[in-house]
Amino acid sequence: MKTLLLMYLLQSTSCMITDSTLSQNERKFAIDYLEKTQIRFLDAIKDLNEAQLNYKADENTWSVMECAEHITLTEIGFFKMAQGALQKNEDLKKRNEIKVNEQQIIQRLTNRTWKAKSPEVVKPSGKFQSIEQIREAFATQRQKTMEYLQNTQDGLHTHFSAHPAVGTVDVYLLLIVMTAHCERHIDQILEIKSNKGFPK
């Protein structure tokens, strides 16, 4: 991931936006990041039995199943949020409110020492009956997001949203937030699986 970021930053500076649509470098960076985290997520949840999926280190932590549900619900929610932001009027003054780039977003969101409280709407509550349903819903949404980024000419740099972890972002950066959020919880799943009490 660090190599991917370095290559991108050497080729492009996102702080100097001259076009509302994505550059070739931005498009490639976002899609590559989506693909890499999709592979990691699906690999992290494969071949787990019910005991492993539902194991909790303690009553205050999530299980693999709950993390997977949260990731999937958030993916769906972020894409809807992005589409909603694009329906609003452009407000170029908001560009001055953006204080982060791709690298800073990823570093912030994937830092597991920083804690965040999940919004109620994406808290795991058993919305999916099985890990197979989660896997299918996630893969379907990821494919939709990647196809959108591959083809869109929308003004992803001229429409904005906000996230409590990073503040104001344009829609392009919002989708980077979404992907970094996924990576954050992939790491959480790996932490659960490495716990000494995790079923073998």
Side-chain angles (χ1 to χ4, degrees), residues 87-101:
Q87 299 305 311
K88 298 178 181 179
N89 293 332
E90 293 185 351
D91 184 1
L92 298 184
K93 293 180 181 178
K94 283 188 173 292
R95 286 225 62 83
N96 297 324
E97 298 177 18
I98 298 177
K99 307 300 181 184
V100 291
N101 59 26

Side-chain angles (χ1 to χ4, degrees), residues 105 142 184:
I105 288 170
R142 266 295 164 99
R184 174 184 179 85

Side-chain angles (χ1 to χ4, degrees), residues 169-185:
V169 288
D170 61 23
V171 173
Y172 163 66
L173 291 176
L174 181 65
L175 295 175
I176 300 299
V177 171
M178 178 197 76
T179 315
H181 170 272
C182 176
E183 186 171 22
R184 174 184 179 85
H185 288 286

Side-chain angles (χ1 to χ4, degrees), residues 20-195:
S20 65
T21 59
L22 295 182
S23 70
Q24 182 178 353
N25 289 336
E26 287 170 332
R27 208 178 294 270
K28 184 178 187 307
F29 177 83
I31 293 171
D32 284 351
Y33 193 24
L34 285 163
E35 289 177 341
K36 288 178 184 294
T37 50
Q38 177 172 349
I39 291 169
R40 284 194 69 208
F41 175 55
L42 296 179
D43 184 64
I45 63 173
K46 75 177 181 181
D47 298 330
L48 298 180
N49 59 40
E50 289 300 312
Q52 292 170 327
L53 287 168
N54 295 299
Y55 167 80
K56 293 186 178 185
D58 59 66
E59 62 181 13
N60 296 315
T61 59
W62 287 354
S63 65
V64 171
M65 188 76 170
E66 287 173 326
C67 289
E69 178 182 351
H70 174 66
I71 288 172
T72 301
L73 292 175
T74 305
E75 291 274 324
I76 296 168
F78 263 113
F79 191 78
K80 289 180 179 177
M81 188 188 305
Q83 295 302 305
L86 289 168
Q87 299 305 311
K88 298 178 181 179
N89 293 332
E90 293 185 351
D91 184 1
L92 298 184
K93 293 180 181 178
K94 283 188 173 292
R95 286 225 62 83
N96 297 324
E97 298 177 18
I98 298 177
K99 307 300 181 184
V100 291
N101 59 26
E102 296 92 332
Q103 183 177 23
Q104 291 166 328
I105 288 170
I106 293 170
Q107 289 176 340
R108 174 67 166 167
L109 268 293
T110 58
N111 179 2
R112 296 277 300 137
T113 64
W114 171 77
K115 303 300 180 182
K117 186 175 181 180
S118 173
E120 289 295 325
V121 68
V122 291
K123 276 188 176 179
S125 60
K127 291 182 173 65
F128 298 94
Q129 294 181 356
S130 66
I131 196 67
E132 287 75 20
Q133 285 188 357
I134 289 175
R135 187 184 293 109
E136 182 179 351
F138 174 85
T140 297
Q141 180 59 58
R142 266 295 164 99
Q143 184 64 29
K144 182 177 180 180
T145 303
M146 287 191 287
E147 288 179 355
Y148 172 76
L149 280 169
Q150 184 68 52
N151 299 301
T152 186
Q153 297 300 317
D154 290 345
L156 271 63
H157 289 310
T158 55
H159 293 84
F160 303 87
S161 187
H163 187 275
V166 294
T168 299
V169 288
D170 61 23
V171 173
Y172 163 66
L173 291 176
L174 181 65
L175 295 175
I176 300 299
V177 171
M178 178 197 76
T179 315
H181 170 272
C182 176
E183 186 171 22
R184 174 184 179 85
H185 288 286
I186 293 168
D187 291 340
Q188 184 180 4
I189 289 173
L190 297 180
E191 289 170 13
I192 296 168
K193 292 171 68 174
S194 68
N195 189 284

